[in-house]
Amino acid sequence: MTAPDDLLDFSLTAQYESYPYPERSAKDEHKRLLIGSPSHLREIDYWVFGARRPASKPLRALVAGCGTGDGAIMLATHLSRAQRPAEVICLDRSKAALAIAQARADVRQLTNIRFIEGSLLDLEALDLGLFDYIDCCGVLHHLPDPDASLAALEAMLAPGGGMGLMVYAPYGRTGVYMVQDALGSLAPITDAPEARLDMARRIMRTLPATAWLRQNGNFGDHLSGGDAGLYDLLLNPRDRSYTITAFVALLNRAGLEPTCLMEPARYNPALFLPDPKLRAKLAELPPLEQAAIAEELTGNMATHVAYVVRRGAAPIRPDPLDYDSIPIMREIPGVELAKQMRPDNTLPFAFGTLLVPIALPPQIRGILPLIDGERTVGDLARALETRGVGEEKFRQVWHESFTILESLNRVLLRSPT
């Protein structure tokens, strides 16, 4: 029997005060910046604003349910390093989580970020204003009414704005819900968080080898995420998951549409179904149905990440064949990505636990090291011309390469200054 919402909310509050998630320490900010999706600045520029929004235009961002701050710290750091005018507002109802996020920001001496203690259930009362970008990562699936909360966030988007969202997906979390159900009896939510965690630890120490959770390598919070990771994975009192079809339906009900499912190629089943007859049949299907098939057949999608905008407001991105367009590497330098290519001109790409060889034109080996976020497509063409690659051939190679690498979220286009 499902517990009443007020009891679930009480248990959630107790969880995140006792075990702020994810488990982080401010001292680690000296060593590294955690990178991910959503809310990578180059992704926002491209997938939300279509590489059209000037970098000099102030950006107002809300991280709705920031937890201990991974996405917020990443975004604020990217903005600070690029010396871009911005304000990142971090909202969370956990005082303990906000304290950790604040400490991390202090170590980095970030002045473009501020923290507000409050609930996503009280957005109207908080009166935070409008935002160009809203991050809501790993939050909606824990709320009593995700539809209502997403609609409330949509109402806070400034004209032309967008969001970065993440929700759990069912098939890649196989085994999680079985153990959650067992712990629902062994460690009921009426017990103290410490007592519930003790029971979860005992289960994990003796979990049978046949348990699906033992076989699932799509996540590791229960193994390497500390007490907070174990608790959030197996003891969270409200945990929904969405197939890609259900996720897009949730977006539709809020008047939103995806500009990108991350990574786009992940949702293309033709990548791992080389059979020509299957590919021909897939090509007849609409994109969402293809995405559903990819999710059903791979079985390893534990989350869905998407950038979304208001329905009908998707930006028209620049033409990658326009010689004035400026390609930019999302994160891995072009020279390093070229080194990852195999002798047969395939790029081994990991979609979670699934490794797929992606075929690329051989000429891209010489193009990737030239992509520095400053050279235009025209500059690339002229450089290739000195190596005997004519304009027509360059356009063919670049179009094919960019289409593939964009779908892998590795090469994007830069916004104007």
Side-chain angles (χ1 to χ4, degrees), residues 31-324:
K31 308 175 195 172
R32 51 89 184 108
L33 175 65
L34 292 173
I35 299 296
S37 302
S39 296
H40 191 291
L41 182 56
R42 288 178 180 175
E43 292 177 1
I44 296 170
D45 284 342
Y46 187 73
W47 296 115
V48 173
F49 299 120
R52 300 285 187 184
R53 192 178 196 272
S56 58
K57 187 175 182 179
L59 180 77
R60 192 161 191 260
L62 170 68
V63 183
C66 71
T68 53
D70 283 2
I73 295 298
M74 175 182 66
L75 177 56
T77 300
H78 282 170
L79 289 162
S80 178
R81 287 176 177 175
Q83 298 183 319
R84 288 170 59 166
E87 178 185 44
V88 179
I89 293 181
C90 303
L91 175 69
D92 204 282
R93 66 180 179 182
S94 168
K95 188 185 296 290
L98 283 175
I100 293 169
Q102 176 77 70
R104 295 173 69 184
D106 290 345
V107 168
R108 291 183 173 274
Q109 298 182 317
L110 295 172
T111 59
N112 59 354
I113 189 169
R114 64 186 177 100
F115 301 87
I116 297 175
E117 184 181 342
S119 172
L120 268 69
L121 306 181
D122 303 319
L123 287 173
E124 187 174 354
L126 289 169
D127 193 22
L128 299 175
L130 300 181
F131 295 88
D132 304 300
Y133 175 72
I134 297 175
D135 169 300
C136 190
C137 177
V139 177
L140 289 171
H141 46 237
H142 294 313
L143 299 178
D145 188 345
D147 281 81
S149 294
L150 186 57
L153 290 172
E154 185 275 337
M156 297 171 70
L157 281 178
M163 301 186 203
L165 306 174
M166 183 277 274
V167 297
Y168 292 152
Y171 308 137
R173 286 168 64 83
T174 296
V176 171
Y177 298 110
M178 300 171 187
V179 177
Q180 282 186 5
D181 288 345
L183 283 168
S185 299
L186 294 168
I189 62 172
T190 50
D191 288 355
E194 297 80 4
R196 300 189 73 214
L197 183 64
D198 177 65
M199 295 302 288
R201 289 198 193 106
R202 292 173 185 273
I203 285 288
M204 289 307 302
R205 282 199 293 267
T206 56
L207 189 66
T210 53
W212 281 109
L213 186 61
R214 287 274 192 219
Q215 317 302 320
N216 195 336
N218 296 311
F219 44 81
D221 265 3
H222 57 309
L223 304 174
S224 60
D227 290 346
L230 179 61
Y231 202 110
D232 198 62
L233 185 72
L234 300 181
L235 294 167
N236 196 297
R238 187 188 286 118
D239 179 335
R240 295 178 179 84
S241 60
Y242 294 82
T243 63
I244 189 59
T245 304
F247 181 37
V248 172
L250 173 69
L251 299 177
N252 287 338
R253 293 193 295 273
L256 299 165
E257 65 178 67
T259 59
C260 171
L261 299 174
M262 192 62 64
E263 295 95 359
R266 183 183 184 89
Y267 295 88
N268 176 11
L271 279 181
F272 51 84
L273 294 175
D275 184 290
K277 192 168 184 178
L278 286 175
R279 286 189 167 185
K281 184 63 177 177
L282 286 169
E284 298 173 1
L285 302 176
L288 182 56
E289 197 166 342
Q290 291 188 41
I293 290 171
E295 180 179 20
E296 291 157 356
L297 293 183
T298 58
N300 74 333
M301 295 186 191
T303 63
H304 296 300
V305 175
Y307 288 103
V308 305
V309 297
R310 288 190 172 111
R311 189 183 299 120
I316 299 174
R317 294 188 286 270
D319 181 357
L321 288 176
D322 186 328
Y323 272 24
D324 290 329

